[in-house]
Amino acid sequence: MALQPLLLHLAFLRLGTTGPLVQGRGFGSQTVAWPSFFDFNWPQEVQETIQIPNNGSAPLLVDVQVFVSNVFNVDILRYTLSSMLLLRLSWLDTRLAWNTSVHPQHAVTLPWDSLWTPGLTIQEALWVDWQDQSPRARVDPDGHVNLYLALTTETNCDFELLHFPRDQSDCNLSFYALSNTVLELEFRARAVNEIVSVKREYVVQDLKTQVPPQQLVPCFQVTLRLQNTALKAVIALLVPGEALLLADMCGGLLPLRATERITYKVTLLLGYLVFHSSLVQALPSSSSCNPLLIYYFTVLLLLLSVSTMETVLLAALQAGGILSPAPKGEQQDRGDPGPHPAEAPGVKGSRRSWAEAADHIFFLVYVVGVVCSQFFFIGFWMWATCKSDPAPGKAIPHGGQPRL
């Protein structure tokens, strides 16, 4: 029965029922499970919502520890990611302190809606699933309160995909206490990386927290730095593209007069068109700083198209006799199938048509152009930078006046 006077003391301190603790799916108000010896016929002022603890002229300091246990479902097409977090909130409420000589309890646990708790809203969240619908706060004899909140959330993230699939992005989770002001409440946050699984396409390279300056509402921000492992994209995108380009260059070694060469080139071009259409669906689009791979594969498509058109045009011109006229000896005497000894030394040179010579020159230029384009793209990949356009809300701090 030593706990009964303590609970009576907490009740007289206006530990009434509060509103929802957080903004999220499936986390509504809970009814306080008071002991049976409580009289619920308290005056109305006792059951009012409790106010934030008074810390004098300074704002109430709330320490926040963010434990990140998992990051999954990174979707670059929707610009979203899912994460599992554990929040540890601690603050001092001297109104909840008690004398241990009178009440020897080392700590008590109370329902979250029986005392003041900071209401948190994640700005970037599409949905929030709080795993414990009725968390309990631990109160120490000196009035220190500790509250643990476990959640799973899906949030928006502005991925920087210029260097996809070797991209690196910073994703923010901004927690706001919209029911208080910076004069009443202040956060001091730090993050702990507890991710133990590395079998992900995107891995968390760094984790940090900060308190954004010049805010009218108390807030803290958790930043996840994600690194793409690139293995899947290299196997699925880069290797097939390079293989098709190499096969096209090898197709230039076939003789121009062989009908299989046109079939070979057209088949490669059609296959690459199918590959390119699936590639467009696999890569995200953006208003700025699109992935360099989009431009790279477009250049490959142009190279394959030029190579195919060159083969078709030269083969057509050669078949029509425009660039490969018959030797003069054959034009004067087509009925004499016998050899012409006077032309024997120059037979080999006469058989090499102008179309074959042009095709040989184009093949050399094409190979040099392809090799140079690969080195140019590697250098451009390493040194190219792009700064995304600022978001419309970045120019105005949170709570600023709207512009008409």
Side-chain angles (χ1 to χ4, degrees):
M1 297 298 294
L3 186 59
Q4 180 176 356
L6 173 61
L7 295 177
L8 289 173
H9 172 62
L10 296 178
F12 279 110
L13 286 176
R14 292 188 169 191
L15 298 185
T17 302
T18 66
L21 172 66
V22 291
Q23 300 293 331
R25 185 179 65 183
F27 204 101
S29 300
Q30 303 290 331
T31 303
V32 182
W34 296 101
S36 59
F37 51 77
F38 266 88
D39 183 7
F40 286 95
N41 297 321
W42 295 102
Q44 181 66 27
E45 60 271 11
V46 175
Q47 297 182 5
E48 290 180 354
T49 302
I50 191 169
Q51 299 297 320
I52 184 173
N54 187 8
N55 197 28
S57 59
L60 176 66
L61 182 61
V62 176
D63 286 316
V64 182
Q65 285 183 291
V66 183
F67 301 90
V68 182
S69 59
N70 197 4
V71 174
F72 58 100
N73 288 345
V74 179
D75 192 341
I76 61 175
L77 297 180
R78 297 176 56 236
Y79 286 89
T80 60
L81 66 93
S82 300
S83 54
M84 298 179 64
L85 310 174
L86 175 63
L87 304 181
R88 178 183 181 271
L89 308 175
S90 61
W91 64 93
L92 178 62
D93 191 346
T94 56
R95 300 171 300 181
L96 303 180
W98 70 86
N99 190 350
T100 55
S101 60
V102 179
H103 307 290
Q105 287 79 13
H106 297 288
V108 295
T109 58
L110 300 175
W112 65 270
D113 48 3
S114 65
L115 69 163
W116 177 88
T117 54
L120 298 178
T121 300
I122 304 178
Q123 184 182 26
E124 298 85 0
L126 301 178
W127 54 263
V128 181
D129 186 12
W130 300 88
Q131 298 181 12
D132 189 355
Q133 302 298 317
S134 302
R136 301 182 66 86
R138 176 187 174 92
V139 182
D140 294 331
D142 57 356
H144 276 93
V145 182
N146 292 279
L147 178 64
Y148 289 87
L149 300 173
L151 66 140
T152 302
T153 179
E154 184 180 35
T155 55
N156 288 319
C157 179
D158 293 331
F159 294 107
E160 295 293 340
L161 301 174
L162 179 69
H163 294 94
F164 177 86
R166 292 298 300 173
D167 54 288
Q168 182 175 280
S169 304
D170 290 337
C171 300
N172 298 323
L173 283 78
S174 304
F175 293 82
Y176 285 87
L178 300 179
S179 58
N180 300 104
T181 67
V182 293
L183 300 178
E184 300 174 332
L185 181 62
E186 178 183 352
F187 288 110
R188 183 173 59 189
R190 67 184 184 93
V192 180
N193 190 345
E194 291 192 339
I195 300 177
V196 296
S197 175
V198 295
K199 295 184 178 181
R200 297 284 188 272
E201 184 178 359
Y202 281 84
V203 296
V204 178
Q205 294 288 346
D206 191 17
L207 188 64
K208 61 181 180 180
T209 59
Q210 63 174 344
V211 177
Q214 299 179 354
Q215 298 289 332
L216 299 180
V217 178
C219 65
F220 65 94
Q221 192 174 76
V222 180
T223 301
L224 306 172
R225 175 159 295 180
L226 302 180
Q227 176 69 52
N228 193 349
T229 56
L231 180 60
K232 177 181 177 181
V234 169
I235 296 176
L237 301 178
L238 291 178
V239 172
E242 294 294 332
L244 285 173
L245 188 61
L246 180 61
D248 182 69
M249 288 190 296
C250 294
L253 300 176
L254 295 175
L256 184 61
R257 295 183 179 182
T259 58
E260 292 82 2
R261 177 172 172 177
I262 297 180
T263 305
Y264 180 82
K265 290 276 189 175
V266 173
T267 302
L268 282 181
L269 180 59
L270 293 177
Y272 186 79
L273 286 174
V274 175
F275 170 74
H276 192 268
S277 63
S278 62
L279 173 68
V280 172
Q281 299 177 1
L283 291 179
S285 59
S286 174
S287 58
S288 60
C289 299
N290 283 287
L292 292 176
L293 280 186
I294 294 180
Y295 307 101
Y296 174 72
F297 286 112
T298 302
V299 172
L300 290 188
L301 177 60
L302 295 176
L303 289 175
L304 291 175
S305 300
V306 170
S307 175
T308 303
M309 288 187 293
E310 179 269 342
T311 299
V312 173
L313 290 176
L314 290 183
L317 292 175
Q318 186 184 46
I322 298 177
L323 293 181
S324 57
K328 293 182 178 180
E330 295 181 4
Q331 293 178 359
Q332 295 175 358
D333 189 7
R334 294 181 179 272
D336 184 9
H340 297 274
E343 296 178 1
V347 169
K348 184 176 180 180
S350 63
R351 290 181 178 177
R352 182 174 182 178
S353 65
W354 290 100
E356 293 174 343
D359 179 66
H360 182 70
I361 295 174
F362 175 83
F363 175 74
L364 296 179
V365 174
Y366 182 72
V367 172
V368 173
V370 168
V371 174
C372 292
S373 66
Q374 302 301 303
F375 283 104
F376 174 79
F377 180 77
I378 293 175
F380 190 72
W381 176 284
M382 296 176 60
W383 299 104
T385 58
C386 180
K387 186 177 181 181
S388 301
D389 298 334
K394 292 295 184 181
I396 303 177
H398 187 78
Q401 294 294 330
R403 295 181 179 179
L404 301 180

